[in-house]
Amino acid sequence: MKKFILFFLLSFFFTSGLYAQSLDTTLEKYALTMAPERAYIHFDKTTYGAGETIWFKAYLMEGFSPAVESKTFYIDWTDDKGNLLQHTVSPLQGATTNGQFDIPPKYSGSFIHVKAYTKWMLNFDTAFFYEKDIRIISDYVSPFQNTSLQTTLGFYPEGGDMVRGVNNKIAFKARDQFGRPIKISGAIQNQKGDIKTTLKILHDGMGYFNLLPNSGESFVAVWKDANGSKHTTALPAVRESGIAVQITLQGDKRKFFIKANPAAAEKIKNVRLLGTMNSFRVFEVQRNLDNGTTEGVIPVQNLPSGILTISVFDGQWNLLAERITFINNEEYQFPAAMEVTHWGLNKRARNEIELTVPDSVEANFSIAVTDASIDTDSSDNIISHFLLSAELRGQIFNPAYYFSSNDDSVSQNLDLVMLTNGWRRINWDAITNGNLPAIQYPKDTAYLSLSGKIYGVLPSQLGVAPHIILIVSGNQQEKKGNQMLYVPIQKDGTFIDQSVFLFDTAHVFYQLSKGLEDASVHFMENKLPARTNRIEANGKYFNKIEDTTGYARHKKYAEELRQILIEAQGKLLENVILKTKTKSPVDQLDERYTTGFFSGDGYKFDLVHDPLAGAAPNIFAYLQGKIAGLNISGTAPNINLQWRGNTPVVLIDEIPSDVSFLSSIDIKNVAYVKVMRPPFLGLPGATGGAIAIYTRKGNDIPNEPGKGLANNKVSGYSLIRQFYSPDYSSFVEANEKKDNRTTLYWNPQVIFANGKHQQTVTFYNNDITDAFRVIIEGMSSDGHLVHIEQLME
């Protein structure tokens, strides 16, 4: 996309020598290093019942491309009182992630609010976080009914200001408190009560009129809302000096007309138009103001689709006016096809769908198949959100409509959206002075691994090569059982093991060196907490186009499913016991712990099953006298080792260490010791043999790991489950219960890569559905998007 913009720059008319070098450099640096991220979430369906699971797939973009640098995605789930229900933390891979949220079985609210963001997004306006209200099926009364409407009417002069003495185009927008468009009628009057023009709605509560303010005039709108209530709203103040900007759509061109009023024309002799997209400069042109006016045409057919910002400056780069216009060249999509290769609309019948993308495309899709008769929300999708909703402050009503076609009428209505929504991503005062915004939150360019910091000690107290001993119990996703770790401590007291990723909540026991008993340890400080501002889930961020028939049907199914879940509580699967011949305990330990050269011949010691091992003060006291020729003398930590005139190499978990450190390890944390006779060829310089000590892991750690040690419950990434889709091709007793799932299939990871351009998904119908709705969304590796919505009936 950056090459795309460069081509447009070279092909358009402007004089680069007139451009201030400092502004050019600062703007380029801003575009390359300060691009904000935008998020979109695909949910498996629109509404849910209490006790159900919300399945989601998140996509992240930066400018025109996938935001591949950030590695962690956060979602705050709050109830309709603004109370936090869950703080989801998900790992991003290739600018996507997925997960689920379990609605509490006794949840009684009508909505759940979703707020999603990355750490990088915290540096910018929080109005650009992803937010959505998810409707929860209940004995629900729509907030749009039996509620006193609170209508607001806003006025938006084109270019930013209403200027005296010139013709101004002024857009307006009427909304209720839920963001729905409202029909109004009224007129614009001056301070004398003279009617200057009338208000005429053109599309979804929006319209515009032209107004020429004469000397001394001010204006108000006198209007009536849909209930007939009368209102008076003041128009923006009139500037005595300034310019008016008008941008007109002409197919693949944008015509601009600029006029300075007499007071401004005396001071402003030329203007500079600067066009930016995602903060990248795409054109610049300087024009003289002849008799206070200038006009021209901007070709846009070679630009990428999105919002083009046209900023007008005077000769000293002072901002005079700004206008946004939407470019829709439809190149943002890539061809993807869906074909039903096996139909199964009957009860529990099998269905197959084949998805195809071009050979050269690498892409990541999510697919949801739901009962076609339940309510759905088609007002927004991955395309309308990334290109429109995520780029503007405030809510856009039914944004998907603006991508339903490229007809002139739709384009003109979209231009009303451009005129009536707040916009100012770039602080031009700072940019023209060479200043970039301060960054408080760097990007999460590394995944959240087990980390922490030690407080209450001086660097000198940590000693030489300090370590912290960690025992991790209950790390769900990794499924490694209990893990024992020896992690180096840095000079600033921080420590990190980049090989350990925590999922869900784990119990972490820790031990520091002697003399640090008063220190405290804080874990996972690089993970963001939930945002503290309370957002009530009140329907403000919910689809305003209601499907009452589909909702009623969905409510019936949800209640039936709730009863099935209640009946299923307490039932357990039968245990299956397998019997097999096993090796001796010590040989099992050797197979489980040793690798490479260490798995060869040597003395083997099983400390897991040796009841006397715990009586030894340290590992070397335990080995004393057990190995012919190995001389162990001295007391910890000053222990000397000699074997055939040489010193053996000592290792912990096959990593070279020193005798002093190993003698400090609690022998209860050692599972296995293997001693290799001299010379040991598996290590360079091991002429005196080698002593390999292996710390306990998995089931070898006692059921009460770290008993007596300081400990914390530490959470990392949220646990990610797999959507359950029954297979009715064979008999399974669990499949005999009634099936009235409204989500038949959900797959958040349909990957097209390494030349694979076809994927087949298989799912089975339930007991009640006779038609399916299939929604497929996705993003390619170069930032192109796809949205497919199709009925199978």
Side-chain angles (χ1 to χ4, degrees):
M1 283 297 184
K2 293 174 185 176
K3 293 180 180 178
F4 203 178
I5 291 175
L6 179 61
F7 171 79
F8 184 79
L9 268 169
L10 296 175
S11 64
F12 187 55
F13 53 93
F14 73 96
T15 308
S16 60
L18 298 175
Y19 193 82
Q21 185 64 40
S22 61
L23 175 61
D24 191 13
T25 302
T26 306
L27 185 59
E28 181 181 14
K29 186 176 180 180
Y30 179 85
L32 291 173
T33 64
M34 307 292 292
E37 294 171 336
R38 313 188 304 281
Y40 171 74
I41 300 180
H42 179 195
F43 298 97
D44 65 302
K45 55 183 179 179
T46 300
T47 59
Y48 300 83
E52 284 193 279
T53 298
I54 299 173
W55 302 92
F56 69 87
K57 168 71 169 288
Y59 297 86
L60 195 67
M61 290 196 75
E62 178 184 84
F64 300 104
S65 305
V68 296
E69 289 186 317
S70 285
K71 294 293 186 283
T72 303
F73 190 75
Y74 299 90
I75 303 179
D76 295 337
W77 309 80
T78 52
D79 65 15
D80 52 4
K81 302 296 188 297
N83 301 306
L84 183 69
L85 298 173
Q86 186 173 327
H87 179 57
T88 301
V89 186
S90 304
L92 286 159
Q93 184 173 14
T96 69
T97 188
N98 63 279
Q100 71 288 321
F101 169 74
D102 296 323
I103 304 170
K106 296 184 179 179
Y107 186 78
S108 58
S110 299
F111 293 94
I112 287 176
H113 185 76
V114 175
K115 173 182 280 190
Y117 50 92
T118 64
K119 182 180 286 188
W120 180 251
M121 291 168 72
L122 299 182
N123 295 298
F124 308 97
D125 193 335
T126 57
F128 296 100
F129 284 6
Y130 178 90
E131 300 203 54
K132 185 179 180 68
D133 283 338
I134 295 178
R135 185 164 160 181
I136 305 303
I137 296 171
S138 59
D139 293 328
Y140 164 82
V141 177
S142 170
F144 315 141
Q145 301 173 6
N146 304 322
T147 302
S148 177
L149 292 180
Q150 302 171 16
T151 307
T152 58
L153 178 62
F155 293 93
Y156 310 88
E158 186 172 15
D161 295 303
M162 188 160 54
V163 180
R164 193 173 307 284
V166 296
N167 193 34
N168 295 262
K169 182 178 180 179
I170 302 172
F172 65 88
K173 178 170 64 175
R175 290 287 188 270
D176 66 12
Q177 67 267 42
F178 302 105
R180 296 184 305 167
I182 294 295
K183 292 182 179 180
I184 64 166
S185 61
I188 304 299
Q189 299 178 2
N190 65 10
Q191 76 280 7
K192 297 178 182 179
D194 299 331
I195 295 178
K196 308 297 289 188
T197 187
T198 58
L199 298 175
K200 181 181 179 182
I201 289 179
L202 300 175
H203 176 72
D204 278 350
M206 299 178 291
Y208 72 90
F209 54 87
N210 292 293
L211 191 63
L212 197 160
N214 294 315
S215 177
E217 277 191 310
S218 60
F219 305 94
V220 297
V222 180
W223 54 281
K224 291 182 179 180
D225 61 25
N227 294 327
S229 300
K230 190 174 181 179
H231 306 266
T232 300
T233 303
L235 269 65
V238 181
R239 291 192 60 179
E240 299 299 327
S241 176
I243 67 169
V245 175
Q246 291 188 11
I247 303 295
T248 306
L249 278 59
Q250 293 185 345
D252 59 2
K253 299 178 179 63
R254 296 294 182 270
K255 181 180 179 180
F256 64 87
F257 177 80
I258 299 173
K259 184 172 180 59
N261 72 350
E266 294 179 0
K267 299 178 293 184
I268 303 173
K269 302 303 180 182
N270 58 69
V271 293
R272 300 180 181 186
L273 277 74
L274 181 65
T276 55
M277 296 189 77
N278 285 307
S279 302
F280 285 99
R281 178 171 62 105
V282 296
F283 76 83
E284 180 206 340
V285 59
Q286 179 173 322
R287 286 297 181 92
N288 294 325
L289 292 181
D290 298 324
N291 297 319
T293 65
T294 187
E295 60 184 327
V297 175
I298 304 168
V300 297
Q301 68 271 20
N302 291 323
L303 280 177
S305 295
I307 293 177
L308 168 65
T309 304
I310 301 173
S311 305
V312 184
F313 300 86
D314 64 13
Q316 287 71 48
W317 293 102
N318 296 307
L319 185 66
L320 302 175
E322 196 164 68
R323 165 77 146 92
I324 60 174
T325 181
F326 195 87
I327 310 302
N328 189 355
N329 288 321
E330 299 186 290
E331 88 301 334
Y332 48 80
Q333 301 184 81
F334 64 92
M338 165 192 156
E339 181 182 0
V340 180
T341 55
H342 191 281
W343 289 81
L345 298 179
N346 296 326
K347 178 180 177 180
R348 302 195 176 191
R350 180 173 61 88
N351 294 267
E352 284 187 359
I353 299 174
E354 186 175 83
L355 306 177
T356 306
V357 301
D359 293 350
S360 59
V361 170
E362 293 188 353
N364 193 326
F365 284 10
S366 49
I367 176 173
V369 182
T370 58
D371 187 315
S373 67
I374 66 172
D375 51 328
T376 187
D377 178 6
S378 298
S379 66
D380 197 12
N381 57 56
I382 191 171
I383 293 172
S384 59
H385 189 84
F386 273 134
L387 269 66
L388 184 61
S389 302
E391 293 280 24
L392 298 175
R393 287 187 181 90
Q395 294 184 74
I396 311 301
F397 182 78
N398 196 17
Y401 157 77
Y402 300 104
F403 299 87
S404 59
S405 78
N406 214 358
D407 293 344
D408 288 345
S409 60
V410 176
S411 299
Q412 293 294 338
N413 291 335
L414 179 53
D415 201 48
L416 287 173
V417 176
M418 299 293 100
L419 286 165
T420 57
N421 280 271
W423 175 267
R424 184 59 63 83
R425 279 289 182 96
I426 299 177
N427 183 339
W428 286 112
D429 289 338
I431 295 296
T432 53
N433 288 316
N435 300 322
L436 295 178
I439 293 300
Q440 183 179 356
Y441 300 94
K443 286 185 180 179
D444 279 321
T445 56
Y447 291 107
L448 290 176
S449 52
L450 181 60
S451 63
K453 187 173 182 178
I454 299 170
Y455 290 88
V457 296
L458 298 173
S460 58
Q461 293 178 270
L462 294 174
V464 179
H467 286 68
I468 183 172
I469 300 175
L470 304 173
I471 300 176
V472 183
S473 176
N475 190 6
Q476 297 295 319
Q477 191 84 351
E478 293 292 293
K479 297 181 181 179
K480 293 181 178 179
N482 299 322
Q483 295 173 272
M484 181 172 292
L485 308 168
Y486 292 81
V487 185
I489 302 172
Q490 305 303 314
K491 293 181 179 179
D492 62 355
T494 60
F495 58 89
I496 183 170
D497 189 324
Q498 295 182 338
S499 67
V500 178
F501 303 102
L502 297 182
F503 283 83
D504 206 5
T505 300
H507 212 163
V508 179
F509 299 83
Y510 60 90
Q511 180 180 2
L512 295 167
S513 303
K514 291 182 179 180
L516 302 179
E517 291 83 0
D518 295 332
S520 60
V521 179
H522 295 184
F523 289 94
M524 306 299 287
E525 291 189 325
N526 57 340
K527 187 185 76 169
L528 287 178
R531 307 305 296 161
T532 54
N533 53 317
R534 292 162 65 93
I535 298 291
E536 294 184 3
N538 58 12
K540 180 180 177 182
Y541 293 90
F542 178 70
N543 171 29
K544 314 303 187 302
I545 306 173
E546 296 192 279
D547 177 4
T548 55
T549 302
Y551 178 80
R553 184 175 174 89
H554 198 175
K555 181 180 179 181
K556 175 178 178 290
Y557 292 158
E559 178 59 28
E560 291 178 357
L561 181 60
R562 191 178 72 86
Q563 292 299 325
I564 292 174
L565 292 174
I566 291 173
E567 293 173 4
Q569 286 181 353
K571 292 183 178 180
L572 300 175
L573 294 176
E574 295 181 358
N575 292 324
V576 178
I577 301 175
L578 299 177
K579 295 183 179 180
T580 182
K581 295 181 180 180
T582 60
K583 298 180 180 180
S584 67
V586 70
D587 288 336
Q588 291 182 48
L589 289 174
D590 189 76
E591 185 178 87
R592 190 157 64 245
Y593 283 90
T594 63
T595 63
F597 287 104
F598 294 92
S599 59
D601 187 35
Y603 295 97
K604 304 174 184 178
F605 298 95
D606 176 3
L607 279 73
V608 173
H609 302 97
D610 187 346
L612 300 178
N618 58 66
I619 192 63
F620 297 109
Y622 173 81
L623 292 175
Q624 200 162 24
K626 288 184 169 64
I627 303 166
L630 175 61
N631 182 30
I632 302 175
S633 61
T635 58
N638 300 312
I639 293 176
N640 296 311
L641 304 175
Q642 288 289 316
W643 202 353
R644 297 180 186 176
N646 293 297
T647 301
V649 175
V650 294
L651 308 98
I652 183 166
D653 295 328
E654 300 181 0
I655 299 174
S657 185
D658 60 78
V659 172
S660 176
F661 177 71
L662 293 184
S663 65
S664 68
I665 296 176
D666 189 340
I667 197 169
K668 295 177 182 177
N669 296 330
V670 178
Y672 180 58
V673 177
K674 190 167 187 178
V675 181
M676 277 65 67
R677 301 175 180 84
F680 175 52
L681 302 180
L683 286 174
T687 55
I691 302 174
I693 296 169
Y694 296 89
T695 57
R696 298 191 184 220
K697 64 182 180 180
N699 294 329
D700 294 334
I701 297 180
N703 290 332
E704 297 184 32
K707 186 176 182 180
L709 297 180
N711 61 87
N712 286 88
K713 287 187 175 181
V714 181
S715 59
Y717 287 119
S718 303
L719 194 65
I720 299 175
R721 302 200 308 270
Q722 185 176 356
F723 178 83
Y724 172 71
S725 184
D727 181 355
Y728 290 131
S729 62
S730 58
F731 174 79
V732 177
E733 186 176 351
N735 289 342
E736 293 306 296
K737 62 184 179 182
K738 185 177 180 180
D739 184 357
N740 64 347
R741 295 167 297 126
T742 50
T743 297
L744 284 304
Y745 183 76
W746 166 254
N747 188 342
Q749 294 292 338
V750 182
I751 310 297
F752 300 89
N754 302 319
K756 189 172 185 178
H757 66 280
Q758 284 187 338
Q759 292 278 15
T760 300
V761 299
T762 302
F763 67 93
Y764 289 84
N765 193 8
N766 56 24
D767 296 338
I768 54 177
T769 296
D770 55 13
F772 310 126
R773 175 176 284 105
V774 182
I775 297 179
I776 301 166
E777 299 198 295
M779 178 170 63
S780 69
S781 58
D782 61 359
H784 287 82
L785 306 171
V786 66
H787 172 80
I788 299 173
E789 184 168 347
Q790 185 171 320
L791 291 179
M792 293 175 57
E793 57 184 354

